[in-house]
Amino acid sequence: MPRRTDIESILIIGAGPIVIGHLVDYTGPTSDVGKPYGQGAADALAYINKNGGIAGRPLQVDMVDYSYNAPRAIATYKKWIGSDKIVAAQGWGTADTEALNTIVEALTGGNAPAASADSPPSTQATS
């Protein structure tokens, strides 16, 4: 897959909403915690939009219940990076995150600007 090179220009120069994707588990095996997590994310995104969005641009969120089904997560992600042109995606669990790693690595050359809850803090000094 070709690497996206337009992310920065979309965020900085673009007009209109910033499109992001969010995978949630409302109906699958982790829905007992997926439902409140998804609602919390929806509430946070609504708060951001209510308070001016990001740099004056609202967030447009495609929240998809993928039922903790990794193949469904991959199909959704491919749609997002194909026709929907998202600039960010938030996964839900280990199954989808691990399944999506190969796609993200291919798009970013192994330098994905992403983090997860179990990512260690950066040890690189910044200038």
Side-chain angles (χ1 to χ4, degrees):
M1 283 183 221
R3 183 175 177 184
R4 297 264 326 245
T5 58
D6 58 347
I7 300 299
E8 289 179 2
S9 64
I10 290 170
L11 289 174
I12 297 169
I13 300 169
I18 298 170
V19 183
I20 62 173
H22 185 200
L23 294 171
V24 295
D25 179 11
Y26 288 148
T27 59
T30 63
S31 62
D32 58 330
V33 291
K35 288 177 186 176
Y37 177 82
Q39 185 59 56
D43 291 347
L45 296 166
Y47 176 85
I48 291 168
N49 281 338
K50 183 178 177 183
N51 289 281
I54 297 176
R57 297 176 60 197
L59 296 175
Q60 177 182 323
V61 182
D62 184 14
M63 193 172 289
V64 174
D65 176 9
Y66 78 112
S67 303
Y68 205 71
N69 178 298
R72 187 176 298 155
I74 291 171
T76 299
Y77 188 73
K78 286 181 177 179
K79 175 185 169 285
W80 284 340
I81 63 174
S83 61
D84 293 354
K85 303 295 186 206
I86 63 165
V87 297
Q90 181 174 359
W92 160 245
T94 304
D96 60 279
T97 303
E98 288 182 357
L100 295 173
N101 275 343
T102 55
I103 295 172
V104 173
E105 286 177 6
L107 289 171
T108 63
N111 297 309
S116 66
D118 58 351
S119 295
S122 174
T123 57
Q124 296 179 342
T126 58
S127 52

